[in-house]
Amino acid sequence: MYSLETRSRGVQERTFCKWLNTKLEMNGYPPMTSLVNDLSDGVRLIQLMEIMGDTSLGRYNKNPRIRVQKAENVNKALEFITSRGVKLTNIGPEDIIDGNLKLILGMIWTLILRFTIADISEEGLSAKEAGRMDLLCSCALIHRHRPDLLDYDKLVKTDRRGNTILAFTIAAEHLNIPQLLEVEDLCDSNHPDERSVMTYIASFFHAFSSMDQAETVSRRVEKFAELMQSVWVSRNDYERRIRILLSALSGTQSQWAATPFSGTYTDAKELSMDFATYKQTTKRAWVTERQDLATLFGNVQTKLKTYGLRDYVPPSGLALSDLDEAWKRLLAAEATRSRAINAQIREIKESLRKQFADLANDFERRLHAISNKLTAIEGTLESQQQQVQEIQTRLPALKGVLANVASVEAECAAANVEENDYTVFTCQDLEFELELLNLSVGQKIAFIDNQIVSRNMTNLTPAQLEQFESAFRYFDKDETNTLSLPEMTAALASLGIVYTDEDMILIFEDLTQAYGAVTYEAFINLLVDITEDQTSPEQLREAFRGIATDKPFVTELDLRIAHLPQPAIDYLREAMPRTSKEAGEPEYDYERWLDDVFA
């Protein structure tokens, strides 16, 4: 069983012999059959050096018969090898003549490194690394350069023998790469001879290098055509895009110039919002496009300068300088547009201030005039009644005017008008004053009506009328000139007139049915009926004496014990004079009060 070294030497001898034969056969020399025998006379070695060095070594012994002649030939070849910068270690003419296979193989390997493998690189793969490649890698190389011959992705990566045979076959039939190795040299050993594999793989690199050189001219033309096409596409793209951008800039400015201001704040604010949206969207897109166009133009010029070609000159009106000028016009138009919108908004706000102030001031003057007229009313009660009613007919129209004031104030609020130097009034102020005027007119009408009623009550003394009117006004809390059931009950009680709840309800219902409500007239007529029936000054004195338990004064406690309603107690406390007593519970002089009332 051969050792690994012996087996590798046998593979190398066969591989190197085939490799040398490819050189000889290409130049018309017969092939060798044995490195030891065929190289011993130096003839084949000289022929190989002339082929590899592409030069003539001069005269030599073509048919050497004696050892000296063979030595001369071998020495000539070795000197040539040395002259080419190849170092030969531990080998001399006698080693080749005597057939020292180990040294002969070392020499041939040195020649292979110098004339075939040196400086080979493909896709970052050095020649030395090629020694670790197998024929699967060769399949990958074939697929890389000639995908029409082999589809690497379809290979069964575990089929080492099949892939090796396939690579050998394709290389020999389609790439003119002789089969320097046998299938067994690669597949039957876990450690194929590295030098033999490198020698064979180098043939692939040389074959593909030749193919690349054949394609160089066409690729150069193709590359130039691709460059010019790329420049042409970029130029067309630049011209198309700059035309679109210039047109957009011009169109927007024309649109702004043709857009009128309607004069309303809402429309002006909408224009302002549209302008802000334009700056955040359209304008930013244009800024980006402008930068992209500058970059595109620069790229075109860079490509042309890189290959020494003439600079690109855009058509008239499409240069970057034209775009710069258009951009300056856009910025000027933007400034004009912004100033116009802001001025319009300021003008509208000022107009709204003046409009509101005019309406508000005029409304307040009308209110003041009506109020003065109400205050100046004079004449007979009937005449005063007629004048107040005429004033009352003018009040509904003021509500419509106030609605206009409120509408303009709403416009001011929508326009963010917060200050107004033309008026001190707000719509709320005017609304309050109008309500106050309505109330004053109503009170004036009620007062005149009550005075007419009082005037017609001839069977009551003025003091009684004043007392009854005072009680009515006091308990008319909502100032409607009518009394509710609780209010009527309290008013009567304050006058010392007390009924049961059932009787009070009956009286209230009778008055409501007769008068529509317990008006001042209904209240006075009720008191007339009561006073004529049962209430004389003396009767009232007796009633108060009963409540006071015959004391000359009455206290709040006395009134509460008599079950008078709280509103009546409150009224009597305010109406009756207090005694001179300062300490203790307040005492009220009912006798003096009744004297004053019935005087």
Side-chain angles (χ1 to χ4, degrees):
M1 190 173 183
Y2 293 110
S3 66
L4 179 60
E5 182 180 357
T6 303
R7 186 178 185 282
S8 294
R9 189 174 299 169
V11 174
Q12 282 186 25
E13 182 180 9
R14 184 173 63 253
T15 303
F16 289 177
C17 186
K18 289 182 178 181
W19 179 76
L20 293 174
N21 284 338
T22 60
K23 309 294 183 183
L24 294 170
E25 290 175 352
M26 288 177 60
N27 288 272
Y29 296 110
M32 297 186 295
T33 59
S34 170
L35 294 178
V36 172
N37 297 328
D38 294 336
L39 294 179
S40 62
D41 61 2
V43 175
R44 290 303 183 92
L45 191 56
I46 291 175
Q47 293 172 350
L48 286 168
M49 292 307 98
E50 289 181 338
I51 294 171
M52 292 181 188
D54 191 25
T55 185
S56 173
L57 270 64
R59 296 180 61 182
Y60 61 91
N61 297 303
K62 296 183 180 181
N63 294 300
R65 297 182 181 275
I66 59 177
R67 185 178 180 87
V68 174
Q69 292 176 330
K70 293 179 181 180
E72 289 176 353
N73 286 346
V74 172
N75 192 58
K76 181 182 283 286
L78 294 179
E79 287 178 353
F80 173 79
I81 294 173
T82 303
S83 68
R84 289 301 180 99
V86 179
K87 287 187 177 182
L88 296 176
T89 306
N90 298 328
I91 188 171
E94 65 278 4
D95 297 314
I96 297 175
I97 296 172
D98 294 337
N100 189 329
L101 181 60
K102 182 178 180 180
L103 295 180
I104 292 172
L105 291 175
M107 180 193 66
I108 296 175
W109 175 243
T110 301
L111 295 176
I112 292 174
L113 287 175
R114 171 61 180 84
F115 294 102
T116 301
I117 295 180
D119 300 326
I120 291 179
S121 177
E122 177 68 25
E123 300 295 330
L125 182 67
S126 70
K128 198 167 186 178
E129 290 171 331
R132 293 188 289 272
M133 295 173 59
D134 58 18
L135 267 295
L136 185 61
C137 298
S138 299
C139 292
L141 282 173
I142 295 172
H143 176 79
R144 166 68 177 82
H145 291 274
R146 290 290 303 273
D148 58 311
L149 299 178
L150 184 149
D151 189 346
Y152 182 79
D153 295 332
K154 292 183 179 180
L155 296 179
V156 178
K157 307 303 186 293
T158 57
D159 186 6
R160 187 178 182 185
R161 182 174 292 273
N163 294 333
T164 301
I165 294 173
L166 178 63
F168 282 165
T169 303
I170 293 176
E173 294 180 359
H174 298 280
L175 302 176
N176 294 323
I177 298 175
Q179 183 177 330
L180 303 182
L181 298 171
E182 301 297 329
V183 175
E184 293 75 12
D185 296 337
L186 294 173
C187 299
D188 291 351
S189 174
N190 292 327
H191 301 283
D193 180 63
E194 182 177 304
R195 294 182 176 182
S196 300
V197 173
M198 288 180 67
T199 303
Y200 182 58
I201 294 299
S203 301
F204 282 86
F205 283 98
H206 281 286
F208 293 137
S209 176
S210 299
M211 291 172 55
D212 292 341
Q213 291 175 3
E215 294 174 358
T216 298
V217 175
S218 60
R219 285 184 179 178
R220 183 176 291 115
V221 174
E222 179 184 357
K223 186 176 181 180
F224 182 76
E226 288 175 352
L227 167 69
M228 296 307 294
Q229 182 183 21
S230 172
V231 170
W232 180 82
V233 170
S234 297
R235 286 172 50 181
N236 284 352
D237 188 37
Y238 167 82
E239 292 173 10
R240 176 185 61 83
R241 290 166 61 181
I242 198 172
R243 281 193 180 96
I244 293 174
L245 181 55
L246 289 171
S247 176
L249 300 183
S250 175
T252 296
Q253 295 173 64
S254 299
Q255 182 182 0
W256 287 344
T259 303
F261 292 105
S262 64
T264 67
Y265 177 81
T266 301
D267 291 336
K269 195 63 180 176
E270 184 176 352
L271 289 175
S272 178
M273 293 175 63
D274 289 344
F275 186 71
T277 302
Y278 148 79
K279 293 188 69 176
Q280 294 171 2
T281 55
T282 304
K283 174 68 177 298
R284 292 181 181 179
W286 289 350
V287 171
T288 302
E289 179 67 358
R290 183 189 180 199
Q291 183 61 46
D292 290 347
L293 284 170
T295 301
L296 179 59
F297 182 84
N299 290 345
V300 170
Q301 299 295 51
T302 299
K303 284 184 180 181
L304 294 174
K305 288 180 180 179
T306 300
Y307 291 90
L309 301 176
R310 184 182 304 168
D311 286 345
Y312 164 57
V313 179
S316 177
L318 300 184
L320 288 179
S321 58
D322 297 318
L323 180 57
D324 291 340
E325 291 301 319
W327 197 261
K328 291 179 182 177
R329 291 192 294 271
L330 175 68
L331 295 180
E334 285 180 349
T336 301
R337 180 71 170 177
S338 179
R339 288 193 296 269
I341 292 175
N342 293 337
Q344 183 71 9
I345 291 176
R346 288 193 296 270
E347 181 180 338
I348 291 172
K349 285 187 174 183
E350 189 68 6
S351 176
L352 285 173
R353 289 188 184 95
K354 291 181 179 179
Q355 183 181 1
F356 175 79
D358 291 344
L359 290 173
N361 293 338
D362 179 68
F363 187 84
E364 198 281 334
R365 283 193 294 269
R366 294 174 67 177
L367 286 180
H368 186 68
I370 294 175
S371 180
N372 288 340
K373 187 172 183 180
L374 183 65
T375 305
I377 286 177
E378 58 183 13
T380 64
L381 291 175
E382 285 74 11
S383 174
Q384 291 184 37
Q385 185 181 50
Q386 184 177 3
Q387 293 176 56
V388 174
Q389 288 173 347
E390 188 275 331
I391 290 175
Q392 191 177 38
T393 61
R394 294 164 58 184
L395 297 182
L398 290 178
K399 290 185 177 180
V401 177
L402 185 61
N404 291 335
V405 177
S407 176
V408 177
E409 186 179 59
E411 290 185 43
C412 290
N416 297 319
V417 177
E418 297 178 352
E419 74 290 332
N420 195 333
D421 295 336
Y422 301 106
T423 184
V424 298
F425 302 109
T426 66
C427 189
Q428 191 175 18
D429 296 336
L430 300 177
E431 185 178 4
F432 173 76
E433 291 189 21
L434 178 59
E435 291 177 356
L436 195 61
L437 180 60
N438 272 302
L439 181 62
S440 297
V441 170
Q443 290 175 340
K444 188 69 172 179
I445 290 174
F447 175 78
I448 293 173
D449 289 345
N450 293 349
Q451 291 303 306
I452 292 174
V453 170
S454 298
R455 184 193 63 186
N456 294 336
M457 294 298 169
T458 57
N459 48 354
L460 293 176
T461 65
Q464 286 178 311
L465 280 172
E466 183 179 353
Q467 181 187 21
F468 296 161
E469 183 180 356
S470 176
F472 182 88
R473 285 199 306 270
Y474 181 83
F475 290 101
D476 181 18
K477 299 296 183 182
D478 54 2
E479 298 183 347
T480 60
N481 207 36
T482 61
L483 298 177
S484 64
L485 177 59
E487 291 173 342
M488 186 186 75
T489 302
L492 292 175
S494 70
L495 297 173
I497 303 170
V498 180
Y499 291 98
T500 63
D501 292 342
E502 291 78 4
D503 290 341
M504 192 63 70
I505 292 173
L506 290 174
I507 294 172
F508 183 81
E509 290 177 349
D510 289 342
L511 292 177
T512 301
Q513 186 174 2
Y515 295 94
V518 182
T519 62
Y520 178 75
E521 182 180 6
F523 183 72
I524 294 298
N525 285 333
L526 172 64
L527 290 175
V528 168
D529 292 340
I530 293 173
T531 54
E532 287 179 349
D533 262 350
Q534 45 184 283
T535 306
S536 64
E538 194 57 36
Q539 288 173 323
L540 282 173
R541 290 181 195 276
E542 287 299 323
F544 272 103
R545 287 180 187 134
I547 292 174
T549 61
D550 291 328
K551 297 190 300 291
F553 60 84
V554 67
T555 65
E556 183 177 348
L557 180 61
D558 294 331
L559 297 175
R560 292 185 183 279
I561 293 173
H563 299 293
L564 265 68
Q566 185 62 42
I569 294 174
D570 295 339
Y571 171 75
L572 291 173
R573 285 172 54 202
E574 292 184 13
M576 292 187 296
R578 295 177 62 172
T579 65
S580 59
K581 179 183 177 182
E582 295 181 359
E585 185 180 7
E587 299 174 352
Y588 301 96
D589 190 346
Y590 63 85
E591 292 281 0
R592 184 152 56 99
W593 182 58
L594 290 175
D595 288 342
D596 292 340
V597 171
F598 288 102

